[in-house]
């Protein structure tokens, strides 16, 4: 997606500062005069002629439009770094909720030294494709603990399917991997009905399962996950937490494997 650049008050201020402090290309004499004028305007030494200033800025940006992309890139890099630092604090303060929630399923080695946590939705197409990444990673690394965190953000069907999933996990934790693979890997939309069908195929008692689905702690756990995701700036699925890093999107097993190795090295 192409970046959308909006040159409003902030953009003018940025361009003004850039021009005033020497970021002017082109004719040296014109640049010198323009920057002198703008430096005075910025410092308050002279009254700003708005039309003249805007004309200089417009002329410069038309000749050097790449400057806006550079500013946008710098802003995005700054924001990502600020979010990374903020996420470190969230991960440190919410370790148990992220890595050891009783409501989350675990595949791979439950006692593995390195844990990767996936935030997923049963109706997320990218999550359906990413299930192969999970299988490949846990097969290749016998010391990997893979935590599956319900993050139902794609509507009521997803929410109801997650309630069934969490109830099933609490009742039959040893069968949860099979349940997860069957429901996420299945065709069509995941709903309460399709989730219950998968659960029954794995031997669940329907009456007991439906009773467990009423457990208020399940809804509370989902609410806490939504709040946690918000603090981690997670807005889509799949997203991952590996060590002290949040990884956004279905980036593939190679990228995740590198993140896992980095987490191991940090132990």
């Amino acid at each position: 997606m192409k970046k959308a650049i909006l040159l409003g008050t902030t953009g003018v201020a940025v361009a003004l500062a850039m021009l005033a402090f020497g970021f002017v290309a082109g004719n040296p004499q014109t640049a010198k005069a323009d920057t002198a004028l703008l430096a005075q305007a910025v410092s308050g030494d002279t009254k700003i002629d708005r039309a003249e200033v805007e004309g200089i800025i417009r002329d410069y940006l038309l000749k050097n439009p790449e400057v806006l992309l550079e500013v946008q890139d710098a802003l995005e890099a700054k924001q990502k770094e600020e979010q990374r630092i903020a996420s470190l604090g969230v991960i440190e303060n919410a370790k148990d909720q992220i890595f050891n929630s009783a409501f989350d399923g675990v595949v791979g080695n439950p006692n593995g030294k390195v844990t990767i946590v996936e935030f997923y939705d049963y109706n997320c197409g990218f999550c359906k494709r990413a299930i192969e990444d999970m299988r490949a990673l846990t097969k290749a690394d016998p010391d990997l603990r893979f935590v599956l965190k319900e993050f139902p953000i794609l509507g009521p069907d997803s929410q109801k399917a997650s309630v069934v999933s969490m109830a099933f996990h609490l009742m039959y934790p040893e069968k949860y991997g099979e349940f997860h693979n069957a429901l996420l890997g299945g065709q069509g939309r995941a709903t309460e009905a399709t989730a219950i069908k998968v659960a029954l195929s794995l031997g669940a008692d329907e009456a007991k399962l439906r009773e467990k689905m009423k457990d208020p702690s399940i809804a509370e756990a989902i609410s806490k996950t939504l709040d946690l995701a918000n603090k981690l700036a997670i807005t889509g699925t799949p997203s991952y937490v590996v060590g002290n890093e949040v990884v956004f999107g279905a980036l593939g097993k190679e990228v995740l494997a590198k993140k896992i190795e980095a987490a191991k090295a940090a132990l």
Side-chain angles (χ1 to χ4, degrees), residues 106-115 138 141-147:
V106 177
V107 295
N109 183 351
N111 299 310
K113 292 181 180 179
V114 177
T115 298
T138 53
D141 188 348
D143 205 26
L144 179 63
R145 180 173 176 266
F146 206 112
V147 173

Side-chain angles (χ1 to χ4, degrees), residues 126-136 180-181 184-185:
F126 292 106
C127 297
K128 288 180 177 294
R129 291 192 284 276
I131 195 171
E132 294 301 329
D133 297 335
M134 177 194 73
R135 290 169 177 163
H180 178 79
N181 286 334
L184 187 58

Side-chain angles (χ1 to χ4, degrees), residues 45-63:
D45 292 339
T46 187
K47 185 177 180 180
I48 296 178
D49 183 322
R50 183 181 181 87
E52 186 174 3
V53 170
E54 289 181 349
I56 295 170
I57 292 171
R58 181 177 183 279
D59 182 63
Y60 174 74
L61 292 177
L62 286 174
K63 292 177 180 177

Side-chain angles (χ1 to χ4, degrees), residues 13 24 59 75 78 90 125 132 152 201 217 222 229 244 254:
V24 179
D59 182 63
L75 176 61
K78 182 175 182 291
V90 175
E132 294 301 329
S201 74
S217 66
I222 292 175
N244 289 321
E254 289 80 11

